[in-house]
Amino acid sequence: QVQLVESGGGLVQPGGSLRLSCTASRSIFSFIAMGWYRQAPGKERELVASIPNGGIINYADSVKGRFTSSRDNAKNTIYLQMNSLKPEDTATYFCNAKGMSPYYGMDYWGKGTLVTVSS
C-alpha cells in the first residue's frame, strides 16, 4: 500500500528552526490532500497544516505565522518549515495523505518524527 516516510525531527532550542520532510511512495497528485498533524504526550492529535491538491494551505492558529508548508511534486515530497519554535511545539509530527476516488475516505499515515524543543 501507500507509504509515507517523515524525516527531519530532532532536538532544537527555543526560537530555533527545523524542516520536516514527508516522501510518498507515489505521485502526490494521486491524493486529494496531504497534511501535517502532531500529537504531544497526553494530548489529542491535532492538525497543523492542511495541503489540498491545488488549494490554499491552511494552518492551525497555534502555528500560523511561524510554520510554512510546501510541496515538491517531482520529488513526491511535502515539507514543513518550522521557525520560532516554542516548547509547546514539542510533539510527534505525522504526515497524512487522503485518498482520491475510488479510494475516497482512505487515510494514509507515516510513522511520525519526534520534534523536541527545549533549552
Side-chain angles (χ1 to χ4, degrees):
Q1 61 176 359
V2 172
Q3 291 184 311
L4 304 173
V5 181
E6 304 99 334
S7 63
L11 176 65
V12 65
Q13 300 287 331
S17 297
L18 210 59
R19 189 180 76 159
L20 306 184
S21 300
C22 169
T23 299
S25 60
R26 70 186 191 194
S27 173
I28 57 178
F29 280 129
S30 67
F31 308 113
I32 63 171
M34 299 189 72
W36 291 99
Y37 290 76
R38 69 184 182 186
Q39 186 167 21
K43 302 294 183 181
E44 297 286 340
R45 184 183 65 186
E46 64 175 343
L47 177 68
V48 176
S50 63
I51 316 167
N53 194 5
I56 298 173
I57 300 174
N58 293 115
Y59 302 92
D61 288 341
S62 59
V63 307
K64 193 173 299 181
R66 300 187 297 119
F67 291 11
T68 303
S69 190
S70 60
R71 59 195 293 159
D72 187 332
N73 297 322
K75 295 182 178 180
N76 296 340
T77 299
I78 63 169
Y79 303 93
L80 184 67
Q81 178 66 48
M82 305 183 293
N83 299 321
S84 302
L85 283 161
K86 305 174 181 179
E88 65 190 48
D89 295 318
T90 296
T92 299
Y93 285 72
F94 297 92
C95 181
N96 169 261
K98 298 187 180 298
M100 183 180 296
S101 180
Y103 302 102
Y104 180 79
M106 295 293 293
D107 277 287
Y108 306 97
W109 295 93
K111 294 181 179 180
T113 184
L114 178 63
V115 172
T116 303
V117 185
S118 177
S119 59

